[in-house]
Amino acid sequence: MSDHIEVKGPVASQAVNEKDSDGYQNSDVELPLDSRVETDLNVTENDLAEARELAGRLTLGEIRPMMEKVLLIHENDPNFPFSIIQKIQAFLGDESIFESPEKHAVLIEEMKLEAALITVNSPYAEVRAVVDNHDDVNTPCGTIRAWIMGVVFSILLAFINQLFSIRQPMITVQANVAQLLAFPLGKAFEKLLPDVGFTLWGTRHSLNPGPFSRKEHMLITIMANVSWNYPYTNNIIWVQYLPDYFNQGYAGQFSYQILIALATNYIGYGMAGIIRRFLVYPSYCVWPASLVTIALNAAFHNDRNAPVDSPFGKIFTISRIKFFGVTFAAMFVYFWFPNYIFTALSVFSWVTWISPNNVNLAAITGFYNGLGVNPWPTWDWNTLLFDQTDPLMIPFFSTFNKFVGAAIACCVIAALWYTNTYNTGYLPINSNRVFDNTGALYNVSNAVDERGLFDPVKYEAYSFPFLAAGNITIYLFFFAIYSATISYAYLYHRHEIGMGFKNLVNSFRKDKASRMNQYQDVHNRLMSKYAEVPEWWYTIVLAIAIALGCAGIAHWETYTSPGVVFYGLALCALFVIPIGIVKAITGIEVTLNVLAEFIGGSFVAGNALAMNYFKSFGYVTCAHALLFSSDLKLAHYVKIPPRQTFTAQMMGTLISTFVSVGVLNFQINQIPNVCTVNAPNRFTCPGINTFFTASVLWGTVGPIKVFGQGGMYTWLLVGFPIGFAVPIMIYYANKRLKRTWMRQIHPVAIFYGGLSWAPYNLSYIWPAVPIAWFSWVFLKQRYLGFWSKYNFVLSASFSSAIAVAAILIFFSLQWTEVELDWWGNSVTSQGCEGKACTLYKLGEGEYFGPRIGDFH
């Protein structure tokens, strides 16, 4: 019997009115086949038309293994349309379909169409909205002008961000600014430069190879993206070198500084290359933040402008680039109001204005010093970007789960504070600072000797370090999220992780059979035309970086063993794939800073410098691996040849590292009284002061005294077993109860919401929920064409406009300290919003907590 089943006309599937084999209730609404598939897969008419031709050639025998693979990978994927999962389960679970296909013609035809859609394009509407599923291998990419602009932006971003990193307030220029400026510069090069060049190894390299392409533009953006952030180890140099800190003169040597900076940067890059088969090549690794970058790129370079229906009752014909320009200009103008002219629009804590000195009102509703329970607390888009995401960028389920976790944490914080648990009532309710037993900020100099090492006599005569209710809750959720990430990754993604390991092993083989398990979605097929980066390139980068790190630590008197480098590698190896999968799917990142501090401080108790290195290699290695993986996905989506991406990341990182370390030396040696209250141009180093306090507190006093046996906060360690158990309970509850909405529960995202406190609160998180629902649920379901065309462009335009406006406001007004003094700018700091209030007060000479001499 033929596997080709002919279907004429729009008819309903025989299975739509019945429960599938797993007990999920299907829809009973009869729709034409094309309309039903458009609805189920969230595809536009253009996407569907492209898939029809392939669907007609597929046979029943071909689509069965395709659907089995789709179900294996996407069954628990919250981004994948659940209606399709149900139909695939019904299709694979009914043997009569394969025995008598003529009786199931419509369902088979629908499966063919859906298999074709997944084959010729991404299964995700958000990816299809901005990522082209076609490629021209002749499009210019690594051109002379692209490398020149990439190098220039790498130098400028590294220079500016390092120079102003120690200023209060600091200024940061991110890669989106470079992406904006690169387009007009590229077009200028296109018009002004002559077409002259040379031929090398059979390829012609010209100053002007033609129109400035989207691949050139993205290559420049990738270089800027790896360059804008200064090396984390610069923080260590500051606290080592300055007389007010550890006063270790050797830290001023350039050779020492560059060795440890290159080590931390390139270890992360080596790891990213090795794990790209887990986090870059799989289609389920969407990387939502990358889509915004690509949307901006597409707006500049995509000439297609199809009209789309809008929720406003009109057909929208405005192109993406014009839409970007209009919304960019609108946000650029508007941002001056909440950021400078009328800051109460940003900090819209209107409830506290009723009675500014009311402690309870401020504690519950306050924006600065409260829990932020406010029905609408801000009119500032920048407020929603506090964790580098926005509600247009990441899926609604991610935003909502984050809010649920934050709401749970809110209740925990309120309970701790109002019951004065661990004396939190004597402290501000939602602070990330550490306090002593009088409610003052913890003075670490009262617990260390002149070398910065722990002094037990001084410590016992001073105070135990106390945490505010918000800070206590954060640590509870941090401990929970680490174990939750491990159990979640195993339960929900063990098949994908196993596939990644198989492909990693196969990458070292040359036999043809080893390619059978390679990823074969449309973007991987298109990228297969380009020469891959061999594994040994990344292995060499990793080996050299390890050697540099060991040399830097061993050659100088760091009071640290080179083994800390391998500790960082081990910690990263354990967590990078689970947290990378979480970030790639949800857009949120689980950072290892607290775990690295916890483990490092426990191993080297009393040694703050050693703890800093534990933190640097344990936390930064993994963070850089994810950053570089995100850029690799950018290149994968835009079809930049892998070896050119490798060169761009290596070159950008090398340039920015040397520039940042050079500027650091200038700051240390040429700025008088730097990092003191007398520093010129407000170079008072607020971030460095915080880094020093944390390093001494957790490296010198140490987590064992705080969280270990006999410590005040030992009970917070219950977060580890709770976090491990919650994903297991949710997983099996979903298996048993089979509720559609339960697929949208993401335990790691919920725990992540609990990390959004101290100093942030619900005022930063709640406003994103209705916006995300309107975008990802209402618009995406009802006006898919409109959403696909404009959603990510709007996100890019708002973020870019805020970045440019913030830079102009900073240099034109804030740098010269020009301020507007009126009610709209002063009302936000009245009463308890200006100075945090506490629930209880101490009398003269009183202190709370353990008595002096009773703690050790």
Side-chain angles (χ1 to χ4, degrees), residues 521-774:
D521 67 283
V522 61
H523 299 297
N524 280 290
R525 293 199 306 274
L526 292 173
M527 286 297 286
S528 66
K529 299 175 184 176
Y530 302 101
E532 181 59 276
V533 178
E535 301 299 328
W536 63 268
W537 288 19
Y538 289 107
T539 305
I540 287 177
V541 171
L542 184 60
I544 293 174
I546 292 172
L548 292 176
C550 292
I553 290 173
H555 184 69
W556 284 272
E557 195 175 1
T558 59
Y559 306 105
T560 311
S561 165
V564 71
V565 179
F566 298 97
Y567 151 80
L569 273 176
L571 189 65
C572 183
L574 176 63
F575 278 97
V576 68
I577 294 174
I579 68 176
I581 289 175
V582 170
K583 185 173 184 180
I585 292 175
T586 67
I588 61 177
E589 181 176 348
V590 179
T591 59
L592 298 180
N593 55 323
V594 169
L595 186 61
E597 280 181 339
F598 183 82
I599 297 175
S602 300
F603 268 104
V604 291
N607 188 339
L609 182 57
M611 195 281 297
N612 282 339
Y613 276 110
F614 267 86
K615 183 178 180 180
S616 181
F617 283 98
Y619 153 56
V620 178
T621 297
C622 203
H624 281 181
L626 295 185
L627 172 65
F628 293 140
S629 295
S630 175
D631 288 335
L632 288 173
K633 190 69 175 187
L634 270 177
H636 187 77
Y637 276 146
V638 185
K639 314 301 177 296
I640 297 176
R643 297 188 178 188
Q644 294 188 23
T645 304
F646 178 87
T647 305
Q649 290 188 306
M650 292 288 289
M651 185 185 300
T653 303
L654 186 68
I655 292 170
S656 67
T657 303
F658 272 91
V659 170
S660 295
V661 173
V663 174
L664 171 67
N665 272 270
F666 167 80
Q667 293 170 314
I668 287 175
N669 298 308
Q670 301 300 324
I671 299 178
N673 301 313
V674 67
C675 294
T676 69
V677 293
N678 299 317
N681 298 316
R682 305 170 84 178
F683 287 125
T684 56
C685 309
I688 304 302
N689 287 322
T690 301
F691 183 86
F692 174 72
T693 300
S695 65
V696 172
L697 184 65
W698 304 119
T700 302
V701 175
I704 292 178
K705 292 181 177 62
V706 179
F707 301 108
Q709 186 175 5
M712 182 176 297
Y713 303 115
T714 305
W715 72 273
L716 293 179
L717 298 180
V718 74
F720 285 110
I722 289 176
F724 189 81
V726 167
I728 298 174
M729 292 188 291
I730 293 175
Y731 179 82
Y732 285 105
N734 186 24
K735 287 284 187 182
R736 181 177 178 83
L737 300 178
K738 303 184 185 302
R739 298 289 187 268
T740 303
W741 58 269
M742 291 193 72
R743 292 185 78 252
Q744 301 299 308
I745 299 177
H746 199 290
V748 179
I750 290 174
F751 285 122
Y752 177 84
L755 307 182
S756 304
W757 292 86
Y760 304 112
N761 55 35
L762 285 180
S763 290
Y764 292 82
I765 303 165
W766 157 246
V769 176
I771 297 172
W773 179 88
F774 182 74

Side-chain angles (χ1 to χ4, degrees), residues 209-327:
F212 182 58
S213 74
R214 63 189 181 92
K215 292 190 180 183
E216 292 176 282
H217 197 175
M218 189 56 72
L219 191 73
I220 296 166
T221 304
I222 288 174
M223 288 189 70
N225 210 32
V226 300
S227 306
W228 70 267
N229 209 356
Y230 60 86
Y232 186 83
T233 50
N234 284 6
N235 295 315
I236 300 178
I237 300 302
W238 278 111
V239 300
Q240 279 188 272
Y241 184 76
L242 292 179
D244 290 344
Y245 300 136
F246 293 134
N247 195 25
Q248 296 174 325
Y250 74 82
Q253 298 178 29
F254 182 83
S255 55
Y256 168 68
Q257 298 167 358
I258 199 67
L259 280 179
I260 60 174
L262 289 172
T264 53
N265 281 345
Y266 281 105
I267 286 178
Y269 185 56
M271 290 291 291
I274 292 172
I275 62 172
R276 65 193 190 278
R277 285 176 170 78
F278 301 88
L279 303 182
V280 177
Y281 297 162
S283 62
Y284 68 86
C285 291
V286 175
W287 293 92
S290 297
L291 301 180
V292 177
T293 304
I294 296 171
L296 179 55
N297 184 274
F300 285 128
H301 298 278
N302 194 339
D303 295 330
R304 289 177 294 180
N305 184 31
V308 292
D309 289 330
S310 78
F312 310 107
K314 297 181 179 179
I315 302 295
F316 265 51
T317 58
I318 183 172
S319 67
R320 288 180 175 181
I321 187 62
K322 289 183 179 179
F323 181 80
F324 175 86
V326 171
T327 53

Side-chain angles (χ1 to χ4, degrees), residues 66-237:
M66 293 173 66
M67 292 296 100
E68 287 173 346
K69 188 173 182 179
V70 168
L71 185 64
L72 182 67
I73 295 175
H74 298 289
E75 184 176 11
N76 296 308
D77 183 356
N79 285 318
F80 196 85
F82 183 55
S83 58
I84 298 300
I85 294 294
Q86 290 178 303
K87 291 181 179 178
I88 293 175
Q89 289 172 335
F91 173 72
L92 296 176
D94 189 351
E95 283 298 325
S96 65
I97 293 176
F98 305 96
E99 295 170 356
S100 306
E102 70 281 356
K103 297 180 180 179
H104 305 272
V106 176
L107 180 59
I108 292 173
E109 196 67 21
E110 187 174 357
M111 285 294 103
K112 287 183 179 181
L113 196 53
E114 287 161 356
L117 281 165
I118 294 172
T119 301
V120 301
N121 213 324
S122 170
Y124 305 103
E126 54 267 36
V127 176
R128 293 193 299 269
V130 296
V131 179
D132 195 351
N133 61 330
H134 304 87
D135 179 45
D136 181 1
V137 295
N138 297 314
T139 301
C141 183
T143 61
I144 296 174
R145 65 190 177 195
W147 292 118
I148 290 174
M149 284 190 283
V151 168
V152 169
F153 280 120
S154 296
I155 293 172
L156 288 176
L157 264 62
F159 178 86
I160 293 171
N161 291 333
Q162 176 61 47
L163 182 63
F164 293 106
S165 65
I166 60 172
R167 190 181 185 275
Q168 174 61 30
M170 69 183 296
I171 184 170
T172 302
V173 182
Q174 296 189 14
N176 57 351
V177 176
Q179 187 181 12
L180 277 177
L181 297 176
F183 183 72
L185 283 175
K187 300 303 285 186
F189 278 23
E190 173 189 320
K191 293 182 179 297
L192 300 176
L193 292 181
D195 183 12
V196 296
F198 58 91
T199 300
L200 181 66
W201 296 323
T203 302
R204 185 172 185 270
H205 300 273
S206 171
L207 288 177
N208 190 352
F212 182 58
S213 74
R214 63 189 181 92
K215 292 190 180 183
E216 292 176 282
H217 197 175
M218 189 56 72
L219 191 73
I220 296 166
T221 304
I222 288 174
M223 288 189 70
N225 210 32
V226 300
S227 306
W228 70 267
N229 209 356
Y230 60 86
Y232 186 83
T233 50
N234 284 6
N235 295 315
I236 300 178
I237 300 302

